[in-house]
Amino acid sequence: MAMKEEFTAMEKNQTWTLVPAETTTKIVGNKWVFQVKYNPNGSVSKYKAMLVAKGFHQTYGIDFFEAFSPVVKPCTVRIILSLVVMHHCERDIVMVLIYVDDILVTGSNTVSIEKVIKQLGSEFGLKDLGDFSYFLGLEVTPSVEGLHLSQTKYICDILSKANMLGSKSCTTPISVSKKLRKDLGNPFENLSLYRSIIGSLQYVTLTRPEITFTVSNLSQFLAVHTVLHWQACKRLLKYLQGTTYFGLQFHHSGSFSLTVYSDANWGYDPDDRRSM
């Protein structure tokens, strides 16, 4: 069923153009790649099928001379997200958030949102999955008070990657009595694990602003990090273990006033004496 839907959508969108085969050209085969998308609770959301070309059968400089190969990493997902204003009048605004083949449509007016979805559906093969509940690791829970934005499943995936799922929780994300230094402690052997975890935690700060300072501090040691830096990272993970359901609560409000809190610390960094 997923293969049929994908093939029908590609035909409708005119993804390719049929041309006569040349005897001097090597024909590139293709294959189906299947993917399962899950809901935040672990249940199956949908099955996806993608038809991809076997580009590895070609030789650069002989079969092709130019190629475009997008590389996507989970920790850089917010950079690749593109925000497009589709409709904007005096009172209404509709926005479309696109990531590969996943689309999120939102705005200030339900009628305008449905109009944009209908316009997109007339040009492309779309499948409406209903109200927004899970998108790129972001979970949305509606209530009478507004919307609650969290990343519970994404955080649990990070804990699982670090083998800390179910570990003892910690009440604070960072120690206030110990400052990290770049050359203090023995080198941490698993460089890729530290960098991968910190990169994923940077995405978590979208809904968990209280860990932004800690993640920023740990990010200073991506090039060279020690066991003490990893222990500080594990402390942050233990804090997230006990607060996986924390997030941002957006309330209904007719006011657009913004309240900002700030703090400063002179000469905080013990290595370069920079202020924070």
Side-chain angles (χ1 to χ4, degrees):
M1 187 64 180
M3 293 171 59
K4 184 178 180 180
E5 289 181 354
E6 178 72 9
F7 196 81
T8 302
M10 288 190 292
E11 283 188 319
K12 181 180 179 180
N13 297 336
Q14 298 180 349
T15 305
W16 59 70
T17 301
L18 293 177
V19 297
E22 299 180 4
T23 56
T24 57
T25 304
K26 181 187 295 184
I27 303 299
V28 180
N30 54 65
K31 65 177 181 178
W32 286 99
V33 177
F34 300 94
Q35 182 183 13
V36 181
K37 288 201 169 185
Y38 297 94
N39 293 312
N41 60 5
S43 61
V44 176
S45 172
K46 60 180 178 178
Y47 298 95
K48 291 186 62 177
M50 296 176 289
L51 185 63
V52 298
K54 297 180 179 179
F56 53 85
H57 285 174
Q58 293 182 308
T59 303
Y60 177 76
I62 299 178
D63 300 307
F64 70 96
F65 298 93
E66 189 175 354
F68 172 71
S69 302
V71 178
V72 178
K73 297 180 180 179
C75 61
T76 59
V77 68
R78 54 184 165 184
I79 300 175
I80 301 171
L81 290 175
S82 56
L83 189 62
V84 184
V85 177
M86 301 293 297
H87 175 73
H88 190 190
C89 64
E90 193 171 319
R91 290 184 175 274
D92 299 334
I93 181 172
V94 177
M95 293 173 288
V96 179
L97 195 62
I98 305 171
Y99 176 71
V100 190
D101 59 350
D102 290 326
I103 303 176
L104 175 63
V105 184
T106 186
S108 58
N109 185 282
T110 304
V111 176
S112 299
I113 293 174
E114 292 177 350
K115 180 180 178 181
V116 170
I117 293 176
K118 186 177 180 180
Q119 290 175 342
L120 291 172
S122 64
E123 297 291 335
F124 308 100
L126 298 181
K127 183 178 181 181
D128 192 349
L129 299 179
D131 293 337
F132 174 31
S133 60
Y134 186 72
F135 185 75
L136 298 177
L138 300 176
E139 303 165 35
V140 174
T141 306
S143 66
V144 293
E145 297 180 349
L147 293 175
H148 183 261
L149 199 64
S150 61
Q151 293 171 282
T152 302
K153 183 180 183 301
Y154 187 78
I155 292 174
C156 290
D157 290 341
I158 298 175
L159 293 171
S160 179
K161 183 192 298 184
N163 293 322
M164 294 187 62
L165 191 62
S167 61
K168 186 178 179 180
S169 61
C170 186
T171 56
T172 56
I174 191 172
S175 173
V176 295
S177 59
K178 298 179 181 179
K179 293 184 179 180
L180 297 176
R181 306 196 62 162
K182 62 181 181 180
D183 297 326
L184 193 62
N186 297 322
F188 182 60
E189 297 181 355
N190 198 336
L191 301 179
S192 60
L193 177 63
Y194 183 88
R195 293 167 181 168
S196 175
I197 295 297
I198 297 301
S200 299
L201 289 173
Q202 288 175 346
Y203 188 53
V204 176
T205 59
L206 288 176
T207 60
R208 302 294 298 273
E210 86 276 17
I211 69 169
T212 302
F213 174 81
T214 306
V215 174
S216 177
N217 197 4
L218 294 173
S219 299
Q220 299 177 26
F221 311 105
L222 289 176
V224 178
H225 36 270
T226 67
V227 175
L228 293 180
H229 300 142
W230 174 242
Q231 290 176 350
C233 180
K234 290 175 65 176
R235 180 191 177 101
L236 174 57
L237 293 175
K238 289 180 179 179
Y239 169 76
L240 292 175
Q241 170 68 46
T243 58
T244 54
Y245 291 96
F246 281 22
L248 295 178
Q249 179 69 39
F250 292 90
H251 298 276
H252 297 293
S253 175
S255 173
F256 287 94
S257 61
L258 183 65
T259 303
V260 179
Y261 300 90
S262 65
D263 189 19
N265 193 320
W266 181 80
Y268 175 83
D269 194 312
D271 292 316
D272 54 23
R273 308 308 299 173
R274 290 182 180 178
S275 301
M276 300 290 289

